Amino acid sequence: MKNIFSCPIDGSRVDPDTLICEKEHKFYKVNGYYDFVLKDVKVDDVLEKVAPLYENLWAPIGMFLTSHMTYGSIMREISDFVSGEVVVDVGTGPGRLFDFVKCSTCVGVDLSTKFLLMLVNKRKNVIAVKGNALGLPIANEVADGVSSSFVLHM
Protein backbone atom coordinates (compact mmCIF):
# COMPACT_ATOMS: atom_id res chain seq x y z
CA MET A 1 0.00 0.00 0.00
CA LYS A 2 1.12 3.52 -0.76
CA ASN A 3 2.41 5.35 2.32
CA ILE A 4 -0.42 7.83 2.89
CA PHE A 5 -0.52 8.01 6.68
CA SER A 6 0.96 10.56 9.04
CA CYS A 7 0.81 10.62 12.81
CA PRO A 8 -2.10 12.79 14.03
CA ILE A 9 -0.11 13.50 17.20
CA ASP A 10 3.19 14.79 15.79
CA GLY A 11 2.83 14.79 11.99
CA SER A 12 5.62 12.27 11.34
CA ARG A 13 5.26 9.49 8.77
CA VAL A 14 3.54 6.28 9.82
CA ASP A 15 4.93 2.99 8.52
CA PRO A 16 2.04 1.37 6.61
CA ASP A 17 3.04 -2.14 7.72
CA THR A 18 3.71 -1.63 11.44
CA LEU A 19 1.46 1.44 11.92
CA ILE A 20 4.15 3.00 14.12
CA CYS A 21 5.20 6.58 13.49
CA GLU A 22 8.75 7.94 13.51
CA LYS A 23 8.27 9.02 17.15
CA GLU A 24 6.97 5.57 18.16
CA HIS A 25 3.25 6.29 18.47
CA LYS A 26 1.41 3.06 17.66
CA PHE A 27 -1.86 2.79 15.78
CA TYR A 28 -4.00 -0.21 14.88
CA LYS A 29 -6.12 -1.87 12.25
CA VAL A 30 -9.38 -2.99 13.86
CA ASN A 31 -12.38 -4.64 12.16
CA GLY A 32 -11.05 -3.68 8.74
CA TYR A 33 -10.40 0.01 9.42
CA TYR A 34 -7.29 1.90 10.54
CA ASP A 35 -7.73 3.48 13.98
CA PHE A 36 -5.85 6.74 14.47
CA VAL A 37 -8.09 7.97 17.31
CA LEU A 38 -7.42 5.19 19.86
CA LYS A 39 -10.24 6.22 22.16
CA ASP A 40 -13.99 6.55 22.16
CA VAL A 41 -15.05 9.91 20.82
CA LYS A 42 -18.49 11.44 21.20
CA VAL A 43 -20.13 11.56 17.80
CA ASP A 44 -23.52 12.96 16.83
CA ASP A 45 -26.22 10.88 18.55
CA VAL A 46 -28.74 11.44 15.77
CA LEU A 47 -26.37 10.22 13.07
CA GLU A 48 -25.38 7.20 15.15
CA LYS A 49 -29.06 6.27 15.54
CA VAL A 50 -29.89 6.69 11.87
CA ALA A 51 -26.65 5.11 10.59
CA PRO A 52 -28.40 1.95 9.33
CA LEU A 53 -30.92 4.13 7.43
CA TYR A 54 -28.52 6.89 6.39
CA GLU A 55 -27.51 5.86 2.90
CA ASN A 56 -30.82 4.51 1.60
CA LEU A 57 -33.32 6.74 3.38
CA TRP A 58 -32.07 9.57 5.62
CA ALA A 59 -29.56 11.22 3.24
CA PRO A 60 -31.62 10.82 0.03
CA ILE A 61 -34.72 12.35 1.61
CA GLY A 62 -32.73 15.12 3.30
CA MET A 63 -30.84 15.98 0.13
CA PHE A 64 -33.99 16.10 -1.96
CA LEU A 65 -35.90 18.24 0.55
CA THR A 66 -33.08 20.75 0.95
CA SER A 67 -31.64 20.90 -2.58
CA HIS A 68 -34.31 19.38 -4.85
CA MET A 69 -31.59 17.09 -6.19
CA THR A 70 -31.12 13.36 -5.70
CA TYR A 71 -28.40 12.04 -3.41
CA GLY A 72 -26.75 10.28 -6.35
CA SER A 73 -26.72 13.38 -8.55
CA ILE A 74 -25.09 15.41 -5.77
CA MET A 75 -22.43 12.73 -5.28
CA ARG A 76 -21.84 12.61 -9.04
CA GLU A 77 -21.30 16.39 -9.16
CA ILE A 78 -18.87 16.28 -6.25
CA SER A 79 -16.92 13.47 -7.91
CA ASP A 80 -16.31 15.67 -10.95
CA PHE A 81 -14.14 17.89 -8.74
CA VAL A 82 -12.28 15.39 -6.57
CA SER A 83 -11.35 12.41 -8.73
CA GLY A 84 -7.66 11.54 -8.94
CA GLU A 85 -5.11 8.84 -8.15
CA VAL A 86 -5.45 9.37 -4.37
CA VAL A 87 -8.77 10.73 -3.08
CA VAL A 88 -9.56 11.40 0.58
CA ASP A 89 -13.13 11.95 1.77
CA VAL A 90 -13.21 13.47 5.27
CA GLY A 91 -16.42 12.71 7.14
CA THR A 92 -17.12 9.96 4.63
CA GLY A 93 -19.93 8.25 6.56
CA PRO A 94 -20.74 5.06 4.64
CA GLY A 95 -18.53 6.20 1.74
CA ARG A 96 -21.23 6.73 -0.89
CA LEU A 97 -19.03 9.25 -2.71
CA PHE A 98 -16.69 6.41 -3.69
CA ASP A 99 -19.41 4.90 -5.89
CA PHE A 100 -18.83 7.90 -8.17
CA VAL A 101 -15.21 9.02 -7.64
CA LYS A 102 -12.50 7.65 -9.89
CA CYS A 103 -9.45 6.87 -7.71
CA SER A 104 -6.72 4.25 -7.48
CA THR A 105 -6.29 4.83 -3.75
CA CYS A 106 -9.59 5.78 -2.12
CA VAL A 107 -9.48 6.83 1.54
CA GLY A 108 -12.56 7.45 3.68
CA VAL A 109 -12.02 9.15 7.05
CA ASP A 110 -14.69 9.29 9.76
CA LEU A 111 -15.02 9.33 13.56
CA SER A 112 -18.05 7.05 13.66
CA THR A 113 -17.31 3.37 14.18
CA LYS A 114 -20.80 2.49 12.90
CA PHE A 115 -20.25 4.32 9.63
CA LEU A 116 -16.74 2.90 9.24
CA LEU A 117 -18.04 -0.64 9.64
CA MET A 118 -20.65 0.07 6.97
CA LEU A 119 -17.90 1.44 4.72
CA VAL A 120 -15.67 -1.61 5.28
CA ASN A 121 -18.51 -4.03 4.52
CA LYS A 122 -19.95 -2.21 1.53
CA ARG A 123 -16.98 -0.64 -0.29
CA LYS A 124 -14.04 -3.03 -0.27
CA ASN A 125 -11.92 -0.78 -2.51
CA VAL A 126 -11.87 2.04 0.06
CA ILE A 127 -9.27 2.35 2.82
CA ALA A 128 -11.38 3.07 5.92
CA VAL A 129 -9.73 5.31 8.52
CA LYS A 130 -10.98 6.32 11.96
CA GLY A 131 -9.64 9.83 12.27
CA ASN A 132 -10.45 13.33 13.41
CA ALA A 133 -10.75 16.14 10.86
CA LEU A 134 -8.93 18.41 13.33
CA GLY A 135 -5.81 16.24 13.05
CA LEU A 136 -6.03 14.13 9.93
CA PRO A 137 -3.82 11.04 9.83
CA ILE A 138 -3.08 11.67 6.15
CA ALA A 139 0.37 12.74 5.01
CA ASN A 140 0.83 16.12 3.34
CA GLU A 141 0.78 16.29 -0.44
CA VAL A 142 -0.40 12.72 -1.08
CA ALA A 143 -3.99 13.40 -2.18
CA ASP A 144 -5.01 14.54 -5.65
CA GLY A 145 -8.57 15.14 -4.50
CA VAL A 146 -10.10 15.88 -1.10
CA SER A 147 -13.76 16.12 -0.18
CA SER A 148 -15.60 16.94 3.00
CA SER A 149 -19.24 17.00 2.04
CA PHE A 150 -22.24 17.16 4.36
CA VAL A 151 -20.06 17.14 7.47
CA LEU A 152 -21.74 20.25 8.86
CA HIS A 153 -25.33 19.33 8.07
CA MET A 154 -26.81 18.73 11.48
Side-chain angles (χ1 to χ4, degrees):
M1 173 173 62
K2 187 174 183 169
N3 191 355
I4 59 170
F5 298 129
S6 71
C7 179
I9 299 166
D10 63 44
S12 66
R13 285 285 192 176
V14 173
D15 182 286
D17 298 319
T18 64
L19 296 178
I20 298 174
C21 80
E22 295 168 358
K23 298 201 178 157
E24 303 297 320
H25 298 113
K26 174 105 176 103
F27 304 98
Y28 301 92
K29 188 167 185 181
V30 182
N31 297 321
Y33 64 85
Y34 293 91
D35 189 348
F36 286 91
V37 176
L38 305 178
K39 61 183 176 183
D40 287 330
V41 176
K42 178 92 170 113
V43 294
D44 189 294
D45 287 338
V46 172
L47 281 178
E48 286 295 291
K49 288 176 183 163
V50 301
L53 306 170
Y54 184 84
E55 188 171 2
N56 294 321
L57 188 64
W58 184 269
I61 290 172
M63 299 298 158
F64 188 75
L65 290 175
T66 58
S67 70
H68 304 287
M69 295 175 67
T70 66
Y71 189 32
S73 66
I74 293 169
M75 292 290 125
R76 197 170 298 104
E77 276 192 38
I78 294 168
S79 73
D80 290 342
F81 296 97
V82 297
S83 292
E85 185 176 326
V86 178
V87 172
V88 178
D89 185 28
V90 181
T92 197
R96 177 87 162 121
L97 181 64
F98 292 108
D99 291 348
F100 301 93
V101 169
K102 294 172 186 69
C103 48
S104 300
T105 303
C106 309
V107 183
V109 181
D110 209 290
L111 271 176
S112 168
T113 300
K114 282 186 181 182
F115 278 118
L116 286 168
L117 292 173
M118 291 168 61
L119 173 64
V120 166
N121 290 321
K122 206 163 191 183
R123 296 177 172 87
K124 308 284 186 202
N125 64 317
V126 179
I127 299 167
V129 177
K130 186 171 189 175
N132 191 324
L134 298 175
L136 286 174
I138 306 299
N140 291 334
E141 301 180 18
V142 298
D144 302 304
V146 178
S147 171
S148 186
S149 306
F150 313 118
V151 173
L152 301 174
H153 59 82
M154 297 302 277

